[in-house]
Amino acid sequence: MITPNPNLQVLPTKINLPKKELILEIELNGKMKFEHLMNTIYNQFGICHRVLSANVEYVEGRSFGSVQLYISANSEEYDELEYYLNNNKLLSTTVEYICRKYS
């Protein structure tokens, strides 16, 4: 008969990784609509974002231009988003955003 060890700790099923604040710049090349991209980032990846700037032009229903997003994501969420952007041939650059807090 096997008895459980009372000194063992149970690990949580989902580990809460620390989130980083990032500024993500995405170049739209006509392969995906701007609105579809924004919905995908929020609905599929669960990443809340703020549009810092957007220079988007629509040519025959296609989106061209660039957009800068402020996101707060952990490394796992960001890796999934980066894979998605690369897979859809959307060029992106990321800058870690560090806000100074004055006392």
Side-chain angles (χ1 to χ4, degrees):
M1 180 168 158
I2 300 174
T3 59
N5 186 347
N7 296 329
L8 291 178
Q9 295 179 345
V10 177
L11 295 175
T13 55
K14 186 166 184 168
I15 299 171
N16 291 327
L17 298 172
K19 293 195 175 206
K20 287 185 178 181
E21 295 175 342
L22 304 167
I23 295 175
L24 180 65
E25 185 168 343
I26 302 170
E27 294 289 328
L28 300 168
N29 55 10
K31 295 188 186 267
M32 183 178 296
K33 288 188 175 183
F34 173 69
E35 296 82 7
H36 178 72
L37 177 62
M38 296 299 107
N39 286 333
T40 302
I41 291 172
Y42 180 72
N43 292 329
Q44 184 175 339
F45 299 105
I47 298 175
C48 294
H49 58 275
R50 271 189 257 154
V51 177
L52 298 177
S53 70
N55 181 15
V56 180
E57 295 187 26
Y58 298 94
V59 178
E60 296 178 5
R62 297 173 160 202
S63 300
F64 294 91
S66 64
V67 62
Q68 285 185 342
L69 300 177
Y70 168 83
I71 64 172
S72 180
N74 62 36
S75 59
E76 184 178 296
E77 292 169 336
Y78 178 73
D79 289 343
E80 290 175 3
L81 177 59
E82 185 177 38
Y83 177 78
Y84 176 79
L85 293 173
N86 289 333
N87 199 32
N88 286 291
K89 308 219 180 340
L90 296 170
L91 302 174
S92 65
T93 56
T94 306
V95 176
E96 188 169 340
Y97 180 71
I98 300 173
C99 182
R100 274 192 188 165
K101 294 182 181 176
Y102 299 97
S103 52

